[in-house]
Amino acid sequence: MIPRDGREMCHCSREIITQHVQPHLLKQLRTVGVAPAVLQGGIEASVINEARYGQVGQLSAIDTHAVDQQLAGTGALLVGPLLPSAAGKLLNVNADDVAMALAQQLQVTQLHFVTDVPGVLDANGCVVSRLTPALMNDLSASSVITGGMSVKLRAGLAVAATHTTKVTIGNVIEPAGTVLVA
């Protein structure tokens, strides 16, 4: 099926995320002793440039009290890539940026970026246990780190640099992953 407009695309994306991706992640997280709630409300997005990017947005508001209440219920939140606008329209956002902003705003003690690999991999495919900005720059310069992983790492290192938050990246099967050190 090829969607005709952004509403159909968001509807399909929402179904895939809420019916397949989130339940799968929640199940995996429970196997390692983490039982997060899925973030529901308390955040809002605004459209970046609809004419150019369609239904793509960026985080524009955080209701700290509302998010704190959700976090207090389980101690952990699962953040996804769809956020509502002020008008209630779902927008595709970078969940890494949202997680970073929430971690900074709420001053959380831990932030884990979940990905499909066990952590940041070096040129030999081995997990890097601790990643500094200098090492990230070296791995990026040699094209070991590219694309979406670069975005996650920049967001994670920004949080690690400004707070006492332990920031890790990896999959949920091997929860040790890579610790980001500013």
Side-chain angles (χ1 to χ4, degrees):
M1 176 178 121
I2 298 174
R4 292 182 187 188
D5 63 27
R7 283 182 305 211
E8 289 180 34
M9 179 64 83
C10 269
H11 178 73
C12 290
S13 298
R14 181 177 50 208
E15 281 186 18
I16 291 167
I17 290 168
T18 61
Q19 294 178 15
H20 300 285
V21 175
Q22 287 174 343
H24 177 72
L25 284 172
L26 291 169
K27 182 179 177 183
Q28 284 191 312
L29 287 164
R30 286 186 195 106
T31 67
V32 296
V34 178
V38 174
L39 180 64
Q40 300 288 326
I43 53 178
E44 191 175 283
S46 59
V47 174
I48 294 175
N49 180 338
E50 192 166 6
R52 184 169 185 179
Y53 303 116
Q55 301 302 305
V56 175
Q58 62 188 5
L59 180 66
S60 58
I62 299 173
D63 178 343
T64 306
H65 179 71
V67 176
D68 259 341
Q69 285 184 317
Q70 294 174 67
L71 188 58
T74 63
L77 292 174
L78 182 61
V79 178
L82 296 177
L83 293 183
S85 68
K89 183 187 292 188
L90 283 180
L91 301 175
N92 183 2
V93 298
N94 184 313
D96 301 328
D97 290 340
V98 175
M100 177 186 74
L102 287 169
Q104 290 174 326
Q105 185 77 28
L106 301 172
Q107 298 181 357
V108 299
T109 58
Q110 294 182 40
L111 173 61
H112 186 71
F113 289 96
V114 178
T115 186
D116 60 351
V117 293
V120 176
L121 305 177
D122 65 16
N124 299 316
C126 297
V127 175
V128 175
S129 61
R130 293 173 54 83
L131 185 80
T132 63
L135 181 54
M136 181 189 149
N137 290 337
D138 290 347
L139 293 173
S140 295
S142 60
S143 297
V144 174
I145 296 174
T146 60
M149 184 61 80
S150 292
V151 175
K152 278 185 189 352
L153 294 176
R154 289 191 200 296
L157 287 168
V159 172
T162 60
H163 291 82
T164 57
T165 304
K166 179 181 179 183
V167 182
T168 57
I169 184 168
N171 62 24
V172 293
I173 298 168
E174 300 174 46
T178 301
V179 176
L180 307 185
V181 182

